């Protein structure tokens, strides 16, 4: 950000309301996404990030409407392309805090092709997937995180597909921060978002965000009844094997910070690359022409 | 017969170094101030298969690979076969061949009707004897050609030295020796019976570049500092160039996982305020089409280079065609406005890059540049001072308009304005926060499904076209103003068209041509004025279905004049004589 | 005034059951043999937001949602606001509103110039009192409307019984009671001052379907046994239907991970010998464009349904437009041949499905079907015996030609034939082994980069168009043969155009219309013949940039006659009066 | 396959030459892909599969040219879409043996989005990736399996991206058969291809197939020097954790069958689904119309 003078100003203390846009969410009453939104406001306020230095990138889905409700820069883009677009923003302007928010379909069905790449590159961003195990916006079709047997509009006779496990996947493909949180527990969620944003590298949060309309109240109840916090289990998030174990725990759905690894993010690696590129003297752009005169 | 324009073809297998020889030849020409042009072509083999090149050297400005090949350098007739369809031979043709090839005279795979003068030279033998390695065969060939036809031999020696400058002196010497052996053989053993003799006046060295290099360089010059791409023939050289150069100038080149990600990253960077681009071809441009629509809807400035290849689908990746025009104009769902612009020669690739960034930044619109394999991968010379002054005098670089104090009080990213352009903020600008979206939206950027707002926003997005067309409407015109017959073409066909018109005019035919540089918005007025005196108009293009022809008919008023289509599938670029003969028929 | 054609609009919030009420109303109409038509529309809210519907009932054949709304049923004026832009009101308009809405008369959000007759009914109150639940508000409304305007009340009661047939008898009874309460209230309390009275003669029940259902059903009927798709509004109903039905008939519906995979799976199934299809919209069709080119190159038979929505990019997913035409015609790189065909009404969606599979199988070519949201998600009636006999008498189903004994001796998958069609083997057929490819290839299917072979194969692939155009060239014509003014439209605009022409003819204007069903290859001869008597031609379409207009100009010879464009952005379908008024101007 | 009478014929014994097409490979001398091709011929002959009952689907790349050299049905499709196309073939004609062959770029860069989905669905096919850690056909750009620091045409200053680990990835996303083999060891390769084809479900083979032209002879030497066979290590391929351990072994590159799991394939699950769909009487197609007459 050479054009704007971001850093020079004295910081004011921002409040939750400073991050609220004037737009009213279109979500159904009882939707888990409200919880995620509330937590995000909290986290931004806690980190005291100036709104104009934050960009939230989303795809398409109920969940992907989120950027419209936050008074930062936002980009409600197309279905499945959160990660490339976010990578573009971050690599173009490393000073900006980049957050991706979207659904399970957006991220793990149509967007799957980008997941391992953003993760292994360790793009410095926070990626929050509001996982409701259904396609909300299109009104109730099978999602990649839905379970075998689930009857939806496109699985009239029950799903026959083993679900994607977001947390396992992310740990395996190289995300350097992996957490899971219950949208119904705003404190935990906000804490994790804070940590994720502070983390230098690709931070993923699997936000268990029930869909009241197409999964009924049962989904929410199930989540509340079956989640436990890894903090209570003395979990060491720097141990990958343990992270995978607790991710798949038979005792229930683990929440909290499951895995974290310190590793230089993509933009820093790219800075080093530029240093290597400029070790030899760099000609004026106009003089590159000389190379083509034999 | 002395001539200052010569076309030399060579064919052999990978090991024969045919393409290196061609490169040395054009480089030699350029260094002595000769106009040079080179095409290369490969067989399907990944490495070591057949390859060929065509080199044209000329004392006067040239516009294409020329026409029939006058001189053919053959290492193996068997390898030549692969290229028969694309190498049209002059009658008579002068052939220099390795006497090691034992193909009987009757079996030589060239058209029976063509007269031939053949010089057999023990090329392999000489290479082994004089340079100690078969690898020097191509140098022997260069020596033979140079001596026989009067090519710039000082330049050749220079070029050889440069080519091997990173190797030992020994290597350089043995290559020079091989070249010398070829020349000596000619002097000692050959009785020249043909009449081909190249003559030239040495001049200031020229620039020698490929279209892909020129475009990448132009983008850098225009201020592009972000590029993402996924390798694809014949555009990969652009991302490779960017990957080497951008990091030196504080820029970024990312190799993405696919083209969906490439255009996505570029969209992200453009949203973040950078001048950003991607280059692709064939399948890649089709994969990008969804997000080109997003850029159009979100009014994001970005540049997309499509180095067209032969299609559809994977087609023939290493060959040329002009059949992605409709895809560029219309290849996404919905009424998605964009700009399409096509360079006409290597130097123009630089100019067009600069203009593409200018337009995209100023008008906040995706700009698609349509080059092709013929343009992107050929080597062509131009004068040293030509690059930074474009043909149409347009070499401005700007950065997009950002909202100012007042705009920011209640910032409307998509504010209705007369030109359709609204000042654009980006992350980091205080009070400029807005939501970009692929959804239809109101002035603030918030989603709407209102029928009237959709009508107004659609109109806003298209309103830009009028302003763009006023500012950028460059058309290249050739031939007399009172011509009776006209030719309209676009992009890389310019060279063959221009030369054909010159030849027709020289032969007394009242013919002219128009080659618009910007295709959308189309320079309608200029073209309609151009049509006025004409009785007959040919639309010439390398597209079987006549994409350009159909496009022009969509809005140009041709009136009563006869409209003819010279549309053929690609893979081989237009020869000058193809256009010449077609148009000449009008007068028979 | 008795009339046998009535248009009723309703608006409320999700809980008001506006759309259910509409569905019950058209179902009631259909069951009494009345022609019925219904459009629904929603606000941005996922659930529980504003919703509206427009229902038309008519004693005579209807072709569209009609025109101005004569009767408005309002639960809340605030909710109505959202739909103001799309619901054009008759003058005077008759309004039935819940007296619970306290909006002052002056603040009612309808055009001041429109006269209104308002009946206030305590709808919520009655629902609570008589049915014990506010959920029955829509039933009260139906009772009121039925009694006031003479709607088919027996049918209504039937429809209510059917709607709740899976619920307890109690539920049915309470809903019937609510309806009765509405009717009673009218009889007892209301003094009818308006003149709207619907009259109809009961007849054999009609079929009531949505376009998406009709298309899916048609595909099943045509023998499609493989479908893959990715959900997208407004096409998802097709894959949902297929997912329920195909497995019953030994078929397969797969939900793929994205549209790239959907079209890939369909390509695989087509290669494997199955009749296969996918349905999508907006972004999805753009993502498929690369592989549509592959299908074109590999000459694979498959059907792609695009239920168009408002674009570009994500646009307005729940609304209609006709701006994907160019994408369908040209939306991939290279000269990629394909067929484009557009249904004109719900019943036609079935016919077109059958034809699409016929063409694709017979000619081994991808067929793109262009429906739209207006067609796909509306409910429309037709006669019971209409479905299996298409308008143009075309209801053939075939399976592709496989190579026979002799062909298989040296099987050439892409053999040059007169029609361009070569017998096609698939895995499982002995001796039929070949390699399909997106690369250019020779007759056996092996890759080639030969210039001449590319020319010949391109020609082969396009040769099919002539044969297709001879066999399928259906155009709907309306109006007198000696009309002076003509209208050309396509797809879902047919309804409004046909009705407008009828109205214009009734009013004495010599106007006709042509609506081609197949758009590529275009029924050129028929259209040119159609143009002959005309002085002026309007091209009417829901595309701001005039995509159809430009397309037609590309090859139709319009000569001196005046060509006018009635092109506007979509989101709302054409009203009859829009076309009527536009064309009528010609005579003023 | 109801139209053809595949099963009724007496089986003849096919030989390697029966699977060779008339086309000469365009690969460079020394290319590892020759080894994979030779092994595939061997495997087909060993399994005695009639050529017309086999379909080989490929993408774009040097490696993707393979189907042209085998006298079965082949489909040299587009870059990155092997898995969806193969899924379509298999689900349309479960009787056909479906094999996918392609490159590391084709599979793990542009094709990545399909990998977890084909794997979790357990599509019954064999997927052989000829992994040369480079883009061969396009002449030497960075591949997703290349290593940090690798200099290629598109990584002039050395790659800064952590590579994709194909075997790890496949085990994690649900492939039910995962093997790695050295293209220079045709016996091992042929054996594994035989097992993969016999396996009911999604079988993946990471074929270490050096690129002589853009990776030099060193790559081949490195592979030969650093691979070991898991058979020699008493490996239990049914144990997922052990499979992951040996996949990442510090001792070198493990080859052989690393992981296998018995699980019903997609086409069988779909057959069950059809059974569920036809539990109630199914009307004639023409009679579906009745449902739409109120
Ligand atoms: C390319 C493309 N395909 C399909 C769609 C339609 N679509 C919109 S949202 C969505 C999925 C929604 O599910 P999810 O991502 O889980 O988000 P949720 O609504 O559940 O929050 C789909 C398929 C689209 N917009 N673009
Ligand atoms: C959509 C698309 N993008 C890019 C290409 C260009 N392309 C052809 S092959 C290839 C990658 C080759 O690498 P790999 O898959 O590893 O195969 P290899 O040649 O190494 O065997 C690329 C990028 C293409 N054909 N299609
Ligand atoms: S449909 Fe589900 S996910 Fe979407 S807003 Fe409603 S409750 Fe939330
Ligand atoms: S370039 Fe590499 S991968 Fe391609 S054929 Fe040559 S050696 Fe094999
Ligand atoms: Mg979801
Ligand atoms: Mg590779």
């Amino acid at each position: 950000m050479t054009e704007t003078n971001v850093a020079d100003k004295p910081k004011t203390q921002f409040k939750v309301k400073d991050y609220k846009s004037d737009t009213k969410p279109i979500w159904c009453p009882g939707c888990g996404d409200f919880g995620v939104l509330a937590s995000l406001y909290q986290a931004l306020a806690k980190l005291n990030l100036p709104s104009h230095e934050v960009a939230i990138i989303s795809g398409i889905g109920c969940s992907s409407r989120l950027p419209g409700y936050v008074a930062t820069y936002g980009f409600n883009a197309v279905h499945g392309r959160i990660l490339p677009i976010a990578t573009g923003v971050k690599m173009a302007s490393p000073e900006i805090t980049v957050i991706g928010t979207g659904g399970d379909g957006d991220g793990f069905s149509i967007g799957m092709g980008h997941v391992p790449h953003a993760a292994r590159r360790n793009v410095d961003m926070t990626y929050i997937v509001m996982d409701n195990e259904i396609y909300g916006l299109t009104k109730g079709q099978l999602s990649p995180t839905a379970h075998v047997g689930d009857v939806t509009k496109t699985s009239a006779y029950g799903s026959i597909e083993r679900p994607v496990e977001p947390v396992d996947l992310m740990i395996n493909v190289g995300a350097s921060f992996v957490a899971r949180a219950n949208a119904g527990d705003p404190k935990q969620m906000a804490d994790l978002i804070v940590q994720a944003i502070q983390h230098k590298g690709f931070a993923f949060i699997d936000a268990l965000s029930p869909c009241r309309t197409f999964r009924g109240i049962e989904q929410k109840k199930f989540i509340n009844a079956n989640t436990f916090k890894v903090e209570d289990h003395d979990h060491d998030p720097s141990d990958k094997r343990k992270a995978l174990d607790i991710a798949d725990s038979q005792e229930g759905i683990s929440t909290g910070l499951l895995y974290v690894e310190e590793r230089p993010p993509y933009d820093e690696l790219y800075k080093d690359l530029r240093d290597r590129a400029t070790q030899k003297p760099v000609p004026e752009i106009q003089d590159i022409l000389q190379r083509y005169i034999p | 017969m002395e001539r200052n324009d010569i076309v030399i073809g060579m064919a052999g297998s990978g090991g024969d170094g045919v393409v290196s020889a061609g490169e040395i030849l054009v480089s030699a020409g350029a260094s002595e101030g000769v106009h040079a042009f080179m095409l290369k072509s490969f067989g399907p083999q990944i490495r070591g298969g057949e390859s060929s090149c065509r080199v044209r050297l000329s004392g006067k400005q040239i516009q294409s690979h020329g026409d029939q090949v006058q001189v053919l350098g053959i290492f193996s007739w068997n390898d030549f076969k692969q290229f028969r369809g694309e190498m049209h031979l002059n009658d008579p043709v002068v052939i220099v061949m390795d006497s090691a090839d034992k193909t009987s005279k009757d079996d030589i795979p060239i058209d029976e009707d063509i007269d031939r003068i053949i010089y057999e030279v023990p090329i392999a033998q000489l290479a082994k004897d004089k340079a100690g390695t078969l690898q020097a065969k191509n140098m022997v060939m260069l020596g033979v050609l140079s001596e026989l036809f009067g090519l710039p031999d000082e330049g050749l020696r220079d070029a050889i030295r440069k080519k091997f400058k990173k190797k030992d002196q020994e290597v350089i010497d043995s290559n020079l020796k091989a070249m010398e052996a070829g020349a000596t053989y000619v002097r000692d053993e050959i009785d020249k019976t043909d009449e081909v003799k190249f003559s030239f006046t040495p001049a200031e060295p020229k620039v020698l570049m490929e279209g892909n290099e020129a475009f990448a360089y132009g983008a850098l010059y225009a201020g592009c500092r972000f590029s993402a791409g996924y390798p694809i023939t014949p555009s990969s050289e652009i991302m490779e160039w960017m990957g080497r150069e951008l990091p030196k100038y504080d820029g970024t080149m990312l190799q993405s996982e696919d083209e969906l990600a490439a255009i996505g990253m570029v969209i992200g960077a453009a949203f973040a305020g950078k001048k950003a681009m991607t280059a692709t071809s064939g399948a890649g441009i089709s994969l990008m089409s969804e997000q080109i629509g997003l850029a159009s809807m979100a009014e994001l400035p970005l540049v997309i280079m499509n180095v067209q290849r032969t299609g559809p689908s994977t087609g023939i990746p290493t060959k040329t065609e002009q059949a992605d025009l409709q895809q560029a104009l219309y290849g996404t769902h919905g009424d998605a406005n964009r700009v399409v612009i096509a360079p006409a020669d290597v130097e123009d690739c630089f100019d067009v890059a600069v203009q593409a960034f200018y337009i995209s930044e100023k008008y906040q619109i995706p700009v698609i540049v349509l080059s092709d394999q013929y343009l992107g991968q050929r080597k062509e010379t131009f004068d040293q001072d030509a690059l930074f002054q474009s043909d149409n005098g347009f070499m401005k670089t700007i950065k997009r308009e950002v909202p100012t104090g007042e705009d920011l009080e209640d910032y409307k990213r998509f504010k209705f304005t007369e030109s359709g352009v609204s000042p654009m903020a980006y992350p980091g600008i205080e009070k400029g926060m807005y939501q970009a979206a692929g959804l239809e939206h109101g002035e603030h950027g918030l989603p709407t499904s209102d029928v009237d707002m959709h009508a107004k926003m659609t109109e806003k997005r298209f309103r830009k076209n009028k302003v763009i067309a006023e500012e950028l409407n460059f058309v290249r015109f050739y031939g007399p103003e009172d011509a009776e017959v006209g030719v309209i073409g676009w992009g890389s066909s310019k060279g063959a068209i221009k030369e054909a018109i010159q030849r027709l005019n020289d032969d007394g035919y009242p013919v002219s041509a128009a080659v618009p540089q910007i295709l959308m918005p189309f320079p309608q007025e200029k073209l309609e004025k151009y049509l006025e005196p004409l009785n007959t108009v040919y639309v010439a293009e390398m597209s079987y279905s006549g994409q350009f022809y159909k496009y022009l008919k969509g809005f140009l008023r041709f009136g009563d004049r006869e409209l003819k289509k010279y549309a053929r599938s690609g893979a081989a670029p237009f020869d000058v004589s193809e256009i010449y003969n077609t148009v000449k028929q009008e007068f028979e």
Side-chain angles (χ1 to χ4, degrees), chain A, chain B:
Chain A
M1 202 78 330
T2 46
E3 297 86 351
T4 52
N5 43 353
V6 155
D8 325 341
K9 309 234 180 63
K11 293 241 166 162
T12 33
Q13 179 57 51
F14 298 110
K15 303 214 176 59
V16 161
K17 74 166 176 30
D18 294 317
Y19 298 99
K20 284 193 180 169
S21 80
D22 300 334
T23 313
K24 197 175 141 270
I26 59 165
W27 296 318
C28 312
C31 177
D33 297 351
F34 283 106
V36 177
L37 177 62
S39 309
L40 179 60
Y41 291 144
Q42 295 281 356
L44 292 172
K46 179 136 189 207
L47 291 164
N48 204 32
L49 293 170
S51 327
H52 65 282
E53 292 175 25
V54 177
I56 308 183
I57 318 296
S58 73
I60 300 290
C62 294
S63 41
S64 286
R65 288 293 192 121
L66 186 140
Y69 313 135
V70 189
T72 61
Y73 280 90
F75 197 159
N76 186 177
V78 290
H79 197 37
R81 310 298 159 220
I82 292 175
L83 297 179
I85 295 176
T87 302
V89 174
K90 187 70 195 181
M91 295 301 282
S93 289
E95 304 81 352
I96 300 300
T97 298
V98 177
I99 301 169
T101 58
D104 39 310
D106 192 88
F108 300 120
S109 193
I110 193 169
M112 181 63 101
H114 310 299
V115 169
H117 300 291
R120 72 193 179 89
R121 288 177 190 138
N122 204 23
V123 179
D124 184 19
M125 64 176 288
T126 297
Y127 181 35
I128 306 172
V129 169
M130 285 160 256
D131 187 357
N132 55 12
E133 304 177 350
I134 194 83
Y135 282 16
L137 191 67
T138 46
K139 303 199 187 297
Q141 295 86 4
L142 189 69
S143 132
T145 55
H147 299 263
V148 172
D150 281 3
V151 172
T152 69
K153 278 201 184 145
T154 46
S155 59
Y157 307 103
S159 169
I160 57 173
E161 298 180 12
R162 172 188 280 206
V164 168
E165 300 289 353
V167 160
D168 273 50
L169 177 78
M170 283 292 188
I171 296 175
N172 278 305
V173 296
S176 55
F177 177 109
V178 179
R180 185 157 44 203
N182 179 353
D185 181 346
K187 199 193 143 326
Q188 180 192 42
M189 181 73 77
D191 277 357
L192 286 169
I193 297 177
V194 168
Q195 290 176 55
I197 293 176
Q198 284 173 328
H199 174 76
K200 279 245 150 245
F202 188 78
F204 168 70
I205 299 176
D206 187 24
L208 307 174
S209 181
C211 171
R212 179 66 61 89
T213 298
F214 296 106
R215 287 295 200 180
I217 185 81
E218 295 72 27
Q219 189 182 31
K220 183 175 181 162
K221 286 192 183 148
F222 181 87
I223 294 170
N224 287 339
N226 288 281
T227 39
F228 68 88
K229 295 199 169 128
V230 293
E231 299 93 281
D232 304 341
H233 281 62
D234 199 25
H235 172 62
D236 172 8
S238 69
D239 184 328
K240 196 182 229 170
R241 277 292 144 86
K242 289 212 180 111
L244 287 170
D245 282 338
I246 205 155
D248 296 338
S249 167
Q250 296 303 312
E251 288 162 49
I253 311 166
S254 48
T255 61
L257 176 56
L258 304 176
Y259 179 66
V260 68
E261 173 195 349
E262 292 303 322
R263 196 167 110 225
Y266 204 34
D267 54 311
E268 283 182 13
L269 292 168
Y270 210 96
K271 260 190 225 145
D272 299 345
L273 185 156
R274 281 196 206 100
D275 288 345
R276 293 196 292 281
T278 48
Q279 265 165 2
K280 283 193 226 160
V282 173
E284 291 295 315
I285 290 179
Q286 301 242 1
D287 294 336
I288 294 176
L289 182 65
Q290 297 309 320
R291 251 184 259 157
Y292 296 94
I293 303 174
Chain B
M1 191 181 59
E2 297 259 317
R3 55 169 80 221
N4 70 357
D5 195 346
I6 187 171
V7 182
I8 301 169
M10 284 187 259
S13 57
D16 296 336
V18 162
V19 171
S20 293
E23 278 170 354
I24 288 172
L25 206 45
V26 280
S27 169
S31 74
E32 298 217 23
V34 168
H35 297 268
F37 196 108
M38 171 183 167
L39 284 186
K40 51 194 170 189
S41 185
F42 300 93
Q45 217 73 13
I46 311 294
R47 174 152 271 197
E50 318 84 78
S51 60
S52 77
C53 73
R54 270 178 287 173
V55 169
R56 184 177 179 192
L57 298 175
S58 180
K60 57 172 205 272
Q61 181 80 45
I62 52 181
Q63 306 294 337
S64 74
H65 58 282
D67 222 324
Q68 281 90 354
V69 171
Q70 293 139 0
V71 170
L72 205 51
I74 295 291
F75 292 96
S76 140
W77 284 112
N78 200 34
D79 292 328
F80 171 76
K81 270 193 207 145
Q82 173 80 24
F83 309 101
R84 237 162 120 176
E86 54 202 73
M87 266 205 216
H88 303 135
L89 305 181
N90 191 51
D91 183 6
V93 63
V94 184
I95 296 168
V96 173
M97 59 175 279
D98 191 337
S99 48
D101 184 303
K102 295 300 176 204
T103 308
S104 100
K105 291 270 140 80
D106 295 339
D107 293 342
I108 284 180
I110 66 177
D111 198 333
E112 280 180 15
D113 302 340
I114 291 178
D115 277 334
R116 56 205 83 177
I117 297 158
I118 302 185
Y119 303 111
E120 293 196 35
V121 180
I123 292 180
Q125 197 60 47
L126 288 171
K128 234 188 349 212
D129 293 352
K130 307 287 166 171
T133 165
L134 278 178
Q135 278 188 4
K137 271 161 65 174
N138 52 353
M139 299 297 144
V140 179
M141 178 65 91
L142 284 175
V144 173
L145 296 175
S146 165
E147 185 66 26
L148 262 176
F149 307 110
L151 308 183
D153 64 339
E154 207 30 68
L156 275 173
R157 271 184 288 268
D158 260 11
I160 290 171
R161 273 181 219 113
K162 261 184 215 143
K163 163 119 193 155
F164 298 104
K165 71 165 180 273
K166 286 188 188 150
K167 303 261 165 93
D168 290 344
Q169 183 62 35
E170 218 174 301
V171 176
I172 297 180
D173 290 344
S174 89
N175 277 289
L176 287 173
K177 250 186 250 161
M179 180 186 151
E180 196 46 48
T184 310
Y185 186 88
V186 172
R187 280 194 296 268
D188 295 351
E189 310 281 342
I190 287 189
D191 207 7
K192 183 172 163 83
T193 55
D194 72 283
E195 304 197 321
V196 179
K197 193 93 204 162
F198 183 63
S199 76
F200 68 97
T201 328
E204 200 198 12
K206 296 203 181 308
V207 182
L208 181 67
M209 247 189 213
E210 298 186 6
N212 282 343
E213 293 166 336
F215 180 81
Y217 188 10
L220 178 69
Y221 178 83
C224 172
R225 289 298 176 274
F226 188 96
S227 151
Y230 187 72
I232 187 164
T233 308
S235 80
S236 307
E237 294 83 7
I238 297 176
M239 73 178 288
E240 290 162 11
W241 198 99
M242 286 302 202
R244 286 188 308 268
E245 301 301 328
L246 276 180
K248 297 184 194 164
Y249 300 93
D250 205 30
T252 308
M253 190 290 282
L254 302 181
Q255 176 172 334
S256 56
E257 53 271 28
D258 60 13
E259 288 87 350
L260 304 172
I263 182 86
M265 290 172 180
V266 168
I267 282 176
F271 171 73
K274 287 280 181 296
K275 290 188 190 171
M277 61 151 279
T278 184
T280 187
S281 181
I285 193 79
S286 285
L287 284 173
M288 288 182 186
S289 67
E290 186 207 356
Q291 288 177 82
I292 294 175
L294 172 61
S296 189
M297 189 64 145
E299 301 190 38
L300 291 171
L302 44 91
V303 174
I304 299 145
M305 165 54 120
N306 176 4
V307 186
Q308 297 166 96
R309 58 192 215 181
T310 308
S313 194
T314 311
I316 309 179
T318 54
K319 303 229 155 134
T320 202
E321 195 159 58
Q322 295 186 298
D324 295 358
L325 175 63
Q326 287 170 331
Q327 203 284 342
L329 297 166
Y330 308 128
T332 188
H333 62 285
D335 277 322
N337 200 19
R338 90 264 334 246
V339 167
V340 179
I341 181 166
D345 56 38
V346 168
E347 193 264 314
D348 204 31
C349 287
F350 185 97
D351 300 353
V352 160
V354 174
Q355 287 170 38
F357 279 95
Y358 176 87
I359 299 170
S360 71
E361 291 291 318
K362 178 152 178 192
Y363 298 102
Q364 301 172 20
I365 191 166
V367 176
I368 298 177
V369 181
L370 280 181
S371 174
D372 57 22
Q373 184 274 334
Y374 176 50
L375 211 46
Q377 295 191 323
R378 79 193 192 196
K379 272 190 164 26
E380 192 178 354
T381 51
F382 49 84
D383 289 344
Q384 294 192 23
D385 55 5
L387 203 66
F388 302 108
Q389 26 172 275
S390 99
D391 279 16
N392 58 348
F394 196 102
M395 194 55 66
K396 287 184 252 182
T397 67
I398 57 159
K399 224 179 133 29
R400 73 192 72 162
E401 194 187 344
V402 293
T404 56
E406 207 174 307
D407 298 326
L408 289 170
E409 286 319 308
D410 171 29
Y411 178 49
K412 292 180 174 165
R413 161 68 186 102
F414 301 101
K415 188 173 162 179
F416 292 119
T417 61
E418 212 177 315
S419 64
V421 179
S422 335
M424 180 176 176
Y426 50 81
I429 293 185
E430 255 184 292
K431 294 185 174 176
M433 290 88 72
Y434 76 101
Q435 200 195 223
L439 286 154
E440 189 55 284
H441 43 256
E443 285 185 274
H444 284 97
L446 296 172
T448 179
S449 54
D450 184 71
V451 177
D452 298 330
M453 185 53 90
H454 173 55
K456 278 164 90 173
M457 277 291 167
T458 305
E459 204 273 322
K460 170 199 195 290
R461 290 186 288 265
F462 276 90
R463 205 183 306 157
K464 298 174 183 174
N465 291 11
K466 234 185 116 238
V467 206
I468 298 174
E470 270 162 27
E471 187 169 8
L472 284 119
N473 48 36
F474 182 50
V475 181
R476 292 180 162 86
F477 293 108
Y478 305 110
E481 282 195 14
D482 57 350
E484 289 160 24
V485 176
V487 179
I488 310 181
W490 69 278
S492 74
S493 305
K494 182 215 79 174
I497 292 173
K498 180 174 173 189
E499 283 200 45
I501 298 295
Q502 278 166 350
R503 220 186 273 180
L504 284 158
N505 291 344
D506 290 350
D507 294 355
Y509 299 106
V511 178
S512 67
V515 182
Q517 189 183 58
I518 185 162
L519 300 175
M520 184 183 250
F522 196 79
Q524 176 136 2
E525 262 180 54
K526 282 195 176 170
L527 261 285
E528 279 177 355
K529 191 147 171 293
Y530 167 72
L531 291 176
E532 275 170 21
L534 305 174
N535 299 327
T536 306
V537 184
Y538 278 90
V539 179
E541 59 182 316
M542 285 188 289
S543 149
Y544 178 82
S545 70
Q547 301 190 355
F548 190 49
Y549 174 89
K550 284 191 212 155
Y551 176 56
L552 292 180
K553 280 197 71 181
F555 50 85
L556 276 190
R557 274 164 294 211
F558 288 100
D560 300 332
R561 56 183 66 81
E562 226 182 325
L563 188 60
K564 295 190 172 175
K565 182 153 76 166
Y566 185 70
R568 65 153 171 84
S569 51
F574 282 142
D575 282 339
V576 176
S577 55
E578 223 180 319
I579 310 284
Y580 178 91
N581 294 330
T582 305
V583 177
K584 210 180 106 183
Q585 282 171 33
E586 280 305 306
F587 301 94
E588 272 159 12

